[in-house]
Amino acid sequence: MKKRTKGIYTFSTKTFEDGFIKDRYTERTKEHGDNIMMDDYEILTFINSVLLWKKNIGPTKLYTDKKGKEFLGNCISLDIFDEIDIQTLEDFYKNSDVNHRQFFAASKVCALANEKVPFCSVDVDLIYRGDGKNLCKGELTTLHLEKITKSAYPNPKKFKENKNSNILTKYKWRKKTAINCGLLYFGNQEVLDTYTKEALNFMKNNPTEFDENDGRTTIMTCVEQRLLSEVAHKMKVKVKSLVKVPFNNEQPLDFLNETYHDFGIVPEISWDGLGVGLNGEVLHLWGHKIFLSQDLRVWDSILGGMKNEENERRLFLVYHLKREMYKNFESEYETIMGKLEDNTHIIKCNNFSRNINLGPQDNVFLSEEDKIFGA
């Protein structure tokens, strides 16, 4: 019998209320006040991810908070999760002083600290379509490594730490690669415990001044992705990577060439017209969400002047996420889409309908097979 590996998902509303993700919704959701909002492609990615993990790999567990459980309960049936834990994050919010705008993944680290190996941590903007044979083994396996560059990973010594943390001096910070944490398999409890304890100690009451112009991510990637690499190296743990070429944000072509066919990862810096990520083993939206959530400014040749037009790539992605759900979970499709259609806190594009045939039929990116796909 195939070994079943638990998939851990973390959905923290702190990311929406205090984190930089809120910036994506500020101008577009004024009428909604401070309510939590998600784009249609985000919730569809999340649902597809959970359903596929349950089907192909093993049970699923959700870490969220009270507001998160209420929000998701209005979007989907929470029965898709085998376990739901809200107390861990609620206690974390009360008992720790963490700037969630700086440390946007703090809740995820807290959730992982509560777990026992083996398990996989899966980001809510990532779909893993594989069978887990290459992923769910070893002591520590990641989707891919990341090359340490000055633009993505500045010198850790530029940051500060509180009296209960010593990672800036404890580690040499000489590793040339960091570990991407979008999809992680933990098979070593000591690595997990050391990493999460030191990361949480660093984030709590951290004295580093918040810099609005600092990319908003560098201190988090340091304490999350780079620290994990340092911990594994110090403990002499071999890190396995599904993608052999590390991602280099300054020279990404080698990484993109390898992942284009085999993994189909949506790159953060570009979106290929042929639909990178839609048919591969992994779909990871990464920072591309920033661009997917923006309407396009185009020239109106009839009336003259500029006008807003929906992002064609967003329409394309939504159509394919619907298509994938229908093909894999036809019996559940109608119920899931019906509930999403009625939700007023989902920001929907033109083709957000349970009708599987409603999509960008004239989209030049679609193959002939896609164009004639129907129920």
Side-chain angles (χ1 to χ4, degrees):
M1 184 177 179
K2 186 175 74 170
K3 182 180 178 181
R4 307 282 283 172
T5 301
K6 181 164 58 176
I8 304 296
Y9 293 83
T10 306
F11 183 82
S12 167
T13 59
K14 285 290 185 181
T15 309
F16 292 84
E17 295 176 336
D18 301 331
F20 68 87
I21 286 179
K22 185 177 181 179
D23 296 347
R24 283 201 282 122
Y25 302 108
T26 301
E27 291 301 317
R28 296 156 59 227
T29 62
K30 289 179 179 178
E31 69 276 18
H32 294 289
D34 289 329
N35 290 324
I36 300 167
M37 304 295 296
M38 284 188 81
D39 280 294
D40 44 16
Y41 65 86
E42 291 180 293
I43 191 67
L44 286 174
T45 299
F46 191 8
I47 295 171
N48 272 299
S49 177
V50 176
L51 292 177
L52 280 171
W53 191 275
K54 283 175 65 73
K55 177 183 178 182
N56 298 329
I57 311 294
T60 56
K61 182 173 182 178
L62 171 69
Y63 282 92
T64 188
D65 44 50
K66 292 178 181 177
K67 291 181 180 179
K69 184 178 180 181
E70 180 182 5
F71 172 81
L72 290 176
N74 290 327
C75 296
I76 57 178
S77 170
L78 294 179
D79 291 340
I80 67 174
F81 298 102
D82 296 284
E83 297 179 71
I84 297 177
D85 181 325
I86 63 172
Q87 199 59 50
T88 295
L89 294 192
E90 289 291 342
D91 290 344
F92 179 57
Y93 301 158
K94 294 176 184 176
N95 302 324
S96 63
D97 185 6
V98 173
N99 183 340
H100 289 267
R101 190 169 179 81
Q102 281 181 306
F103 301 106
F104 56 89
S107 297
K108 181 172 75 170
V109 178
C110 171
L112 301 186
N114 196 53
E115 283 296 314
K116 298 296 181 184
V117 302
F119 67 86
C120 264
S121 173
V122 190
D123 278 3
V124 298
D125 66 346
L126 184 147
I127 298 175
Y128 176 70
R129 303 183 178 106
D131 59 14
K133 290 181 180 179
N134 293 324
L135 172 65
C136 303
K137 65 180 183 180
E139 294 183 277
L140 184 62
T141 303
T142 177
L143 173 58
H144 65 84
L145 300 173
E146 298 190 2
K147 183 176 175 58
I148 301 297
T149 61
K150 290 183 179 180
S151 56
Y153 293 95
N155 190 330
K157 298 299 174 64
K158 70 171 285 188
F159 306 125
K160 301 175 183 177
E161 57 188 338
N162 61 63
K163 62 181 181 179
N164 295 317
S165 174
N166 67 345
I167 65 170
L168 296 182
T169 55
K170 177 180 179 180
Y171 295 102
K172 298 183 183 300
W173 304 101
R174 293 176 181 170
K175 286 289 292 177
K176 296 182 179 180
T177 55
I179 298 173
N180 182 274
C181 293
L183 180 65
L184 273 178
Y185 172 79
F186 283 97
N188 184 311
Q189 189 69 45
E190 187 178 0
V191 169
L192 173 67
D193 292 343
T194 301
Y195 160 63
T196 54
K197 179 181 179 180
E198 295 194 334
L200 290 171
N201 282 342
F202 180 82
M203 290 186 280
K204 293 174 182 177
N205 299 295
N206 187 281
T208 304
E209 296 82 5
F210 177 66
D211 184 355
E212 286 275 1
N213 301 314
D214 193 26
R216 304 173 186 164
T217 61
T218 55
I219 192 170
M220 185 69 243
T221 52
C222 173
V223 73
E224 183 186 24
Q225 304 192 153
R226 195 167 182 183
L227 174 62
L228 180 56
S229 180
E230 292 292 326
V231 170
H233 177 70
K234 191 175 183 66
M235 297 178 67
K236 296 181 171 55
V237 168
K238 182 179 180 181
V239 180
K240 297 181 180 180
S241 175
L242 297 185
V243 182
K244 303 310 176 187
V245 178
F247 177 71
N248 182 341
N249 69 303
E250 296 177 355
Q251 297 177 336
L253 288 183
D254 288 344
F255 177 84
L256 299 183
N257 287 335
E258 178 176 341
T259 61
Y260 181 88
H261 294 292
D262 296 335
F263 289 91
I265 300 169
V266 176
E268 186 169 5
I269 54 161
S270 65
W271 180 299
D272 190 285
L274 296 176
V276 176
L278 296 175
N279 301 308
E281 186 172 295
V282 175
L283 168 65
H284 194 189
L285 298 180
W286 293 13
H288 203 74
K289 294 188 288 289
I290 296 172
F291 306 106
L292 288 168
S293 297
Q294 294 176 349
D295 289 337
L296 302 180
R297 293 286 288 167
V298 299
W299 178 261
D300 191 325
S301 58
I302 298 177
L303 300 177
M306 300 299 290
K307 67 176 181 179
N308 283 337
E309 186 174 279
E310 283 202 301
N311 190 323
E312 190 176 46
R313 291 173 175 82
R314 174 185 178 143
L315 299 175
F316 182 50
L317 177 59
V318 167
Y319 172 72
H320 275 274
L321 289 170
K322 287 166 46 180
R323 181 180 188 264
E324 181 167 13
M325 188 190 301
Y326 182 84
K327 292 180 69 174
N328 290 315
F329 308 101
E330 182 178 352
S331 62
E332 302 165 71
Y333 178 85
E334 186 76 17
T335 301
I336 292 173
M337 288 301 299
K339 194 165 186 176
L340 292 178
E341 279 183 349
D342 296 335
N343 193 298
T344 58
H345 291 164
I346 300 297
I347 305 171
K348 309 178 185 74
C349 61
N350 284 336
N351 65 320
F352 195 85
S353 163
R354 73 189 76 188
N355 182 353
I356 193 64
N357 287 301
L358 184 59
Q361 300 297 328
D362 297 325
N363 191 313
V364 295
F365 297 151
L366 296 184
S367 66
E368 290 303 313
E369 179 185 355
D370 289 328
K371 291 178 180 179
I372 62 175
F373 175 79

